[in-house]
Amino acid sequence: MALFITFEGGEGCGKSTQAKALWRKLVRLGIPAELTHEPGGTALGKELRYLLKRKRQDRLSPEAEVLLFAASRVQLVNEVIRPSLQEGKVVICDRFADSTAVYQGYGRGIDLATIKAINDMATAGIKPHLTILLDMPADKGLSRKNARNHDRFEAEDITFHHRVREGYRQMAAQEPARWMVIDATLPRNQLKTIIWNKVNQLLQAMQAYSGKTVPK
Ligand code: TYD
C-alpha cells in the first residue's frame, strides 16, 4: 500500500502537528507508516539542517542554499523514503521538493527550471501522490513563532514570506490533482478530520485496486 504524502506550508502553519497526527492515526490502525521531515531525517540531513537554519555572519548564496537542501533530500530519498515505499509503507514527509521551488524559487528568485532540474536529480523520480498545503496569511503564521528565537528563514523580511505563500498557491493551482489546499486557520481538530478523510479515501481506492483491506 505504498503511498507518499507530503505536507507543505509557510512558517507556523501547523503542518508538523498535522503530519504527526496523521502518522499516529495510521499506526493506531495498524497501517505501516513512516514519518520523516526535511531538511533532516538522516544523519547528514541533521547536520545540513543545522547549517541551513542557523543565523550566519556570512551570506549564504541562494545557489549554495538550493544545493544544500538538495543534498539533504538525496540522502533522505535513498535512506528513508525509497526503502519505505518499497516496503509498502505510507510515507509522510514534512516538507519535500516543493519547499525548494517555493522558498528558493519564489522566495529567493532562483529560476524555477533550474530548481526543477536539481529536484529531479535529488528525488530520482519519486513524487508525492498527495501534497497537503496548509495555507494561511504569512503574518498570521509568523506571529505564532517566538520572534526572539527566529531562525534564518523565519527572520526573513515579510515580503519574502508573502512570496512563499503566493508561490505555494500558484504551484497548487498548476497541479490540482496532487495538491490539496486547506485553510490552516481552521481549528486543529477540523484540519485533522479533513486530512484524514482525504487520506482514507486514497487508501480505500488503493485497496480496491490491490485487493488488500484497509481498516476504516
Ligand atoms: P523547520 O524548522 O523544519 O521549519 P518548519 O517547521 O516551518 O518546517 O525549518 C525548515 C526551514 O527550511 C523552513 O523555514 C523552510 C526552509 N526550507 C527551504 O527554504 N527549502 C527547502 O527545500 C526546505 C525543505 C526547507
Side-chain angles (χ1 to χ4, degrees):
M1 199 83 63
L3 184 63
F4 185 26
I5 302 169
T6 56
F7 281 80
E8 295 284 353
E11 309 304 321
C13 68
K15 68 190 164 32
S16 306
T17 306
Q18 291 301 329
K20 200 171 198 175
L22 174 61
W23 173 77
R24 281 217 187 96
K25 171 96 185 174
L26 291 164
V27 171
R28 264 204 307 275
L29 290 172
I31 299 171
E34 185 77 31
L35 174 64
T36 189
H37 65 274
E38 277 207 20
T42 65
L44 179 75
K46 241 176 155 175
E47 292 175 53
L48 293 173
R49 179 185 178 83
Y50 171 73
L51 290 178
L52 282 158
K53 284 188 60 162
R54 84 175 160 92
K55 289 192 188 145
R56 327 174 49 93
Q57 299 298 327
D58 58 346
R59 186 181 157 274
L60 188 59
S61 74
E63 290 78 8
E65 194 174 273
V66 173
L67 294 170
L68 289 172
F69 277 115
S72 172
R73 184 160 306 130
V74 172
Q75 214 60 22
L76 187 70
V77 165
N78 288 343
E79 287 184 27
V80 179
I81 297 177
R82 187 182 298 108
S84 299
L85 290 172
Q86 280 169 349
E87 284 170 32
K89 289 184 178 174
V90 177
V91 177
I92 301 164
C93 196
D94 183 352
R95 297 197 180 282
F96 193 58
D98 297 310
S99 279
T100 309
V102 169
Y103 277 79
Q104 280 66 50
Y106 290 87
R108 300 270 193 240
I110 294 194
D111 170 53
L112 291 176
T114 304
I115 291 186
K116 186 180 178 305
I118 294 169
N119 270 339
D120 284 350
M121 184 194 71
T123 58
I126 288 187
K127 219 178 161 179
H129 297 99
L130 170 67
T131 297
I132 297 166
L133 172 58
L134 290 173
D135 176 55
M136 75 160 49
D139 49 350
K140 197 158 189 164
L142 278 169
S143 70
R144 292 175 168 189
K145 302 255 170 171
N146 181 348
R148 265 184 304 149
N149 301 332
H150 274 176
D151 64 29
R152 205 167 57 83
F153 288 97
E154 290 157 356
E156 283 291 337
D157 198 60
I158 188 69
T159 55
F160 174 86
H161 295 286
H162 286 320
R163 289 197 297 278
V164 165
R165 185 191 188 198
E166 265 323 296
Y168 271 130
R169 288 156 71 102
Q170 280 187 33
M171 303 244 316
Q174 280 162 20
E175 224 184 323
R178 171 165 71 93
W179 290 76
M180 177 168 74
V181 183
I182 315 179
D183 175 359
T185 63
L186 290 171
R188 211 181 262 189
N189 279 337
Q190 204 173 327
L191 291 172
K192 244 194 233 178
T193 307
I194 295 171
I195 292 168
W196 174 245
N197 287 344
K198 176 70 182 181
V199 172
N200 192 28
Q201 198 187 324
L202 276 181
L203 288 168
Q204 301 298 334
M206 288 172 79
Q207 173 208 338
Y209 181 71
S210 71
K212 285 189 192 156
T213 311
V214 177
K216 288 209 174 174

